[in-house]
Amino acid sequence: MPTPSVILAIESSCDDTGVAIIRGREVLSNAIANQTVHEQYGGVVPELASRAHAQNIVPTLESALKTAKISVEEIDAVAYTRGPGLMGSLHVGTAFAKSWAWAHGIPMVPVNHMQAHILAHFLAPDPSPSFPFLCLTVSGGHTQLVQVDGPLDMTILGETKDDAAGEAFDKVAKLMGLPYPGGPILDRMAAEGDGLEFAFTKPKVEGLDMSFSGLKTQIWQFLQQHVQRNPSFIEARKHDIAASVQRAILNILMDKVETAVEQTGIARVAIAGGVSANRGLRARLQAKEDRAGWQVYIPPLAYCTDNAAMIAMAGSLLFEAGGRGILSDEPVPRWTF
Ligand code: KG4
Ligand code: ZN
């Protein structure tokens, strides 16, 4: 058996600076510096994100090396997020990763962040899904339903036409006066509410594509009407509102996943991206495993939201397949596959 490759990876596509080191499928370290500066602005401010990456990247790298107890000489390749993401954020990670790899004479491997979210399923210790499988990738920037036929053989079956599912959570949370990112807060509030209290209509979107912006407008109108009559409506009913909104978003997602399973005949279903941390989504998928015979793959929380371990896993698979980057590779803020 060949010795598994040691990969150091750098993630900087949005507002989290991550550095991870893996050996084969084993995560030796997964350091992350979360940026809190954006909370007060109700969303990620690109300029501030780039500056924070520049400040955080060296300490995060030092922490990852220390935890992994790996010397630079043992590293076979440096993987980094080339895109998609915010241009300024990508620039910091890309320039740093390429310079660091070049200075140490180590090969560099550019990685697609969305493919990496899916390939997080190959990290130890959980069993990896066998091919083919479907993956619902739901984050703050993307919502995609992907057929995965091989580690590097993926086809997008459907995606959102407007807002991402995480963005829908965050925007509704903002309408309710909650801080950014609102997804996890809505999730916690929903657990104490009744999702059948308020009904929202599901948008009609062709095929396996999705839409969330109409739902956001509907919820905005709904909140306005109620607040006009009762200014403390949101505070008084926040748990039921959160549960009803979450149910509406999950109905859209689950509807499309069910259709994809029917159409492809593939009942192995994985989830990836920040929204896969959502307890409601996890429970609905688990119910499908129990009642409809699906095989469901849910990543550990640390590998759902943005992290560098998933970039390392994707980088490792690409590296083993002969993938190499060059110094002139530029960030790709909009990068489909
Ligand atoms: O994948 P991710 O960390 O970053 C992007 O690439 O976007 O996803 C972040 C998104 C945010 O919109 C956040 O509100 C959402 O994931 N999110 C959640 C939960 N945890 C994170 N949404 C709903 N429920 C959660 N528990
Ligand atoms: Zn992401």
Side-chain angles (χ1 to χ4, degrees):
M1 258 217 6
T3 339
S5 309
V6 175
I7 310 288
L8 179 141
I10 293 175
E11 155 63 27
S12 75
S13 63
C14 189
D15 59 343
D16 297 319
T17 318
V19 181
I21 301 173
I22 66 168
R23 183 189 282 115
R25 296 180 59 221
E26 189 197 350
V27 180
L28 304 180
S29 63
N30 187 26
I32 189 127
N34 300 113
Q35 303 180 6
T36 47
V37 60
H38 310 285
E39 278 168 18
Q40 58 190 301
Y41 299 102
V44 177
V45 184
E47 173 66 25
L48 296 179
S50 315
R51 281 197 227 170
H53 282 306
Q55 280 166 359
N56 293 339
I57 205 152
V58 172
T60 313
L61 172 80
E62 280 173 342
S63 155
L65 282 168
K66 202 170 154 199
T67 308
K69 298 190 180 67
I70 282 282
S71 68
V72 173
E73 295 70 43
E74 292 172 84
I75 298 166
D76 294 302
V78 175
Y80 66 91
T81 305
R82 189 181 178 190
L86 298 171
M87 187 51 148
S89 293
L90 290 170
H91 253 304
V92 178
T94 300
F96 181 83
K98 288 191 300 183
S99 315
W100 197 83
W102 176 76
H104 290 100
I106 304 172
M108 49 194 94
V109 183
V111 166
N112 180 301
H113 178 94
M114 298 311 294
Q115 287 190 324
H117 266 301
I118 297 173
L119 296 171
H121 283 280
F122 292 83
L123 291 165
D126 288 351
S128 313
S130 46
F131 301 107
F133 66 92
L134 300 176
C135 187
L136 176 70
T137 314
V138 268
S139 73
H142 294 87
T143 299
Q144 295 178 333
L145 195 44
V146 181
Q147 180 170 331
V148 189
D149 290 305
L152 306 169
D153 182 3
M154 303 184 187
T155 313
I156 299 171
L157 302 178
E159 59 191 330
T160 181
K161 293 281 165 213
D162 38 60
D163 294 347
E167 202 177 350
F169 271 105
D170 296 339
K171 284 182 174 173
V172 173
K174 196 172 175 180
L175 293 176
M176 292 172 69
L178 300 169
Y180 175 85
I185 306 172
L186 277 189
D187 184 5
R188 280 196 297 276
M189 284 168 114
E192 291 173 49
D194 181 357
L196 295 171
E197 272 297 297
F198 306 111
F200 303 105
T201 47
K202 198 159 40 181
K204 288 191 179 62
V205 186
E206 290 281 301
L208 295 172
D209 285 335
M210 292 159 254
S211 164
F212 295 94
S213 67
L215 180 65
K216 185 198 66 196
T217 313
Q218 226 187 110
I219 294 166
W220 180 74
Q221 286 167 345
F222 158 84
L223 289 175
Q224 276 224 321
Q225 280 166 7
H226 282 276
V227 169
Q228 261 169 13
R229 275 184 260 138
N230 170 12
S232 53
F233 172 73
I234 296 178
E235 182 51 34
R237 305 297 305 273
K238 62 184 179 194
H239 296 114
D240 290 335
I241 301 171
S244 303
V245 166
Q246 177 159 302
R247 185 166 178 271
I249 295 173
L250 299 187
N251 281 348
I252 296 175
L253 294 171
M254 289 302 295
D255 194 34
K256 296 295 175 167
V257 177
E258 279 167 21
T259 311
V261 170
E262 272 165 33
Q263 284 182 0
T264 61
I266 302 168
R268 273 184 293 275
V269 179
I271 48 171
V275 182
S276 56
N278 184 272
R279 282 173 292 176
L281 179 59
R282 288 171 172 239
R284 293 206 28 191
L285 283 165
Q286 211 67 62
K288 281 287 177 188
E289 183 157 83
D290 300 339
R291 293 193 214 121
W294 291 11
Q295 270 172 278
V296 172
Y297 298 87
I298 300 178
L301 279 182
Y303 305 146
C304 288
T305 47
D306 285 350
N307 67 89
M310 69 183 196
I311 306 299
M313 192 65 247
S316 179
L317 292 162
L318 278 163
F319 180 68
E320 304 275 333
R324 301 287 183 275
I326 50 172
L327 265 181
S328 56
D329 284 334
E330 294 276 345
V332 186
R334 291 172 173 274
W335 182 8
T336 189
F337 52 85

Short mmCIF file of all heavy atoms in Angstrom, two decimals, residues 113 117 139-141 166 169-170 181 183-184 187 273-275 277-278 305-306, ligand 1:
data_model
loop_
_atom_site.label_atom_id
_atom_site.label_comp_id
_atom_site.label_asym_id
_atom_site.label_seq_id
_atom_site.Cartn_x
_atom_site.Cartn_y
_atom_site.Cartn_z
N HIS A 113 -14.31 25.02 -4.04
CA HIS A 113 -14.91 24.99 -2.71
C HIS A 113 -16.19 24.14 -2.66
O HIS A 113 -16.44 23.43 -1.67
CB HIS A 113 -15.21 26.45 -2.31
CG HIS A 113 -15.87 26.64 -0.99
ND1 HIS A 113 -15.16 26.87 0.16
CD2 HIS A 113 -17.17 26.64 -0.64
CE1 HIS A 113 -16.01 27.01 1.16
NE2 HIS A 113 -17.24 26.87 0.70
N HIS A 117 -16.92 20.77 -0.39
CA HIS A 117 -18.00 20.54 0.57
C HIS A 117 -18.50 19.09 0.44
O HIS A 117 -18.75 18.42 1.44
CB HIS A 117 -19.17 21.49 0.30
CG HIS A 117 -19.13 22.75 1.12
ND1 HIS A 117 -19.13 22.74 2.50
CD2 HIS A 117 -19.11 24.07 0.76
CE1 HIS A 117 -19.11 24.00 2.96
NE2 HIS A 117 -19.09 24.82 1.92
N SER A 139 -25.46 26.07 1.33
CA SER A 139 -24.62 26.97 2.12
C SER A 139 -25.19 28.38 2.04
O SER A 139 -26.30 28.59 1.56
CB SER A 139 -23.18 26.93 1.58
OG SER A 139 -23.11 27.60 0.36
N GLY A 140 -24.40 29.35 2.51
CA GLY A 140 -24.87 30.74 2.48
C GLY A 140 -24.79 31.33 1.08
O GLY A 140 -25.45 32.32 0.77
N GLY A 141 -23.98 30.72 0.22
CA GLY A 141 -23.81 31.26 -1.12
C GLY A 141 -24.36 30.36 -2.22
O GLY A 141 -24.56 30.81 -3.35
N GLY A 166 -29.16 29.02 2.71
CA GLY A 166 -28.59 29.67 3.91
C GLY A 166 -28.90 31.17 3.92
O GLY A 166 -29.19 31.75 4.97
N PHE A 169 -32.43 31.68 5.12
CA PHE A 169 -32.45 31.65 6.59
C PHE A 169 -31.95 32.98 7.15
O PHE A 169 -32.57 33.58 8.03
CB PHE A 169 -31.54 30.53 7.12
CG PHE A 169 -32.21 29.19 7.27
CD1 PHE A 169 -31.98 28.16 6.37
CD2 PHE A 169 -33.06 28.96 8.35
CE1 PHE A 169 -32.59 26.92 6.52
CE2 PHE A 169 -33.67 27.72 8.52
CZ PHE A 169 -33.44 26.70 7.60
N ASP A 170 -30.81 33.43 6.63
CA ASP A 170 -30.17 34.65 7.18
C ASP A 170 -31.04 35.89 6.93
O ASP A 170 -31.14 36.76 7.80
CB ASP A 170 -28.78 34.86 6.55
CG ASP A 170 -27.82 33.74 6.91
OD1 ASP A 170 -28.05 33.05 7.91
OD2 ASP A 170 -26.82 33.56 6.18
N PRO A 181 -24.80 35.41 11.51
CA PRO A 181 -25.69 34.69 10.61
C PRO A 181 -26.89 34.12 11.36
O PRO A 181 -26.73 33.49 12.40
CB PRO A 181 -24.80 33.57 10.05
CG PRO A 181 -23.78 33.32 11.12
CD PRO A 181 -23.64 34.59 11.92
N GLY A 183 -29.10 31.77 10.44
CA GLY A 183 -29.48 30.37 10.24
C GLY A 183 -29.46 29.55 11.53
O GLY A 183 -30.48 28.96 11.92
N PRO A 184 -28.31 29.51 12.23
CA PRO A 184 -28.26 28.69 13.44
C PRO A 184 -29.22 29.17 14.53
O PRO A 184 -29.74 28.36 15.30
CB PRO A 184 -26.81 28.84 13.92
CG PRO A 184 -26.05 29.44 12.78
CD PRO A 184 -27.02 30.10 11.88
N ASP A 187 -32.68 27.98 13.65
CA ASP A 187 -32.70 26.54 13.90
C ASP A 187 -33.02 26.27 15.39
O ASP A 187 -33.91 25.47 15.72
CB ASP A 187 -31.32 25.96 13.52
CG ASP A 187 -31.23 24.45 13.65
OD1 ASP A 187 -32.25 23.82 13.94
OD2 ASP A 187 -30.12 23.90 13.46
N GLY A 273 -22.37 21.53 3.31
CA GLY A 273 -22.52 22.98 3.42
C GLY A 273 -23.11 23.38 4.76
O GLY A 273 -23.64 22.54 5.50
N GLY A 274 -23.02 24.67 5.08
CA GLY A 274 -23.42 25.18 6.39
C GLY A 274 -24.82 24.79 6.83
O GLY A 274 -25.03 24.46 8.00
N VAL A 275 -25.79 24.79 5.90
CA VAL A 275 -27.18 24.49 6.28
C VAL A 275 -27.35 23.01 6.65
O VAL A 275 -28.34 22.64 7.29
CB VAL A 275 -28.17 24.95 5.17
CG1 VAL A 275 -29.60 24.70 5.56
CG2 VAL A 275 -27.96 26.43 4.84
N ALA A 277 -25.96 21.68 8.89
CA ALA A 277 -25.94 21.65 10.36
C ALA A 277 -27.36 21.76 10.92
O ALA A 277 -27.57 21.50 12.10
CB ALA A 277 -25.10 22.81 10.89
N ASN A 278 -28.32 22.12 10.07
CA ASN A 278 -29.69 22.36 10.54
C ASN A 278 -30.34 21.08 11.09
O ASN A 278 -30.43 20.06 10.39
CB ASN A 278 -30.52 22.93 9.38
CG ASN A 278 -31.92 23.29 9.81
OD1 ASN A 278 -32.83 22.48 9.78
ND2 ASN A 278 -32.08 24.53 10.25
N THR A 305 -19.91 23.37 8.01
CA THR A 305 -19.65 24.79 7.72
C THR A 305 -18.24 24.88 7.11
O THR A 305 -17.51 23.91 7.08
CB THR A 305 -19.74 25.62 9.02
OG1 THR A 305 -19.01 24.96 10.02
CG2 THR A 305 -21.16 25.78 9.48
N ASP A 306 -17.90 26.08 6.62
CA ASP A 306 -16.63 26.22 5.92
C ASP A 306 -15.45 25.79 6.80
O ASP A 306 -15.37 26.17 7.97
CB ASP A 306 -16.44 27.67 5.47
CG ASP A 306 -17.32 27.98 4.28
OD1 ASP A 306 -17.90 27.04 3.70
OD2 ASP A 306 -17.42 29.16 3.91
O1 KG4 B 1 -20.99 26.60 4.11
P1 KG4 B 1 -21.03 27.80 4.96
O2 KG4 B 1 -20.31 27.77 6.30
O3 KG4 B 1 -20.47 29.06 4.21
C1 KG4 B 1 -20.73 29.33 2.86
O4 KG4 B 1 -19.96 28.81 2.00
O5 KG4 B 1 -21.73 30.02 2.63
O6 KG4 B 1 -22.58 28.16 5.19
C2 KG4 B 1 -22.99 29.27 5.96
C3 KG4 B 1 -24.51 29.31 5.94
C4 KG4 B 1 -25.09 30.58 6.57
O7 KG4 B 1 -26.11 31.08 5.72
C5 KG4 B 1 -25.68 30.08 7.88
O8 KG4 B 1 -26.77 30.83 8.35
C6 KG4 B 1 -26.10 28.69 7.49
O9 KG4 B 1 -25.06 28.21 6.66
N1 KG4 B 1 -26.25 27.80 8.65
C7 KG4 B 1 -27.45 27.30 9.05
C8 KG4 B 1 -27.19 26.55 10.23
N2 KG4 B 1 -25.84 26.61 10.48
C9 KG4 B 1 -25.28 27.39 9.51
N3 KG4 B 1 -28.67 27.42 8.53
C10 KG4 B 1 -29.68 26.78 9.17
N4 KG4 B 1 -29.51 26.05 10.29
C11 KG4 B 1 -28.29 25.90 10.85
N5 KG4 B 1 -28.12 25.17 11.93
#
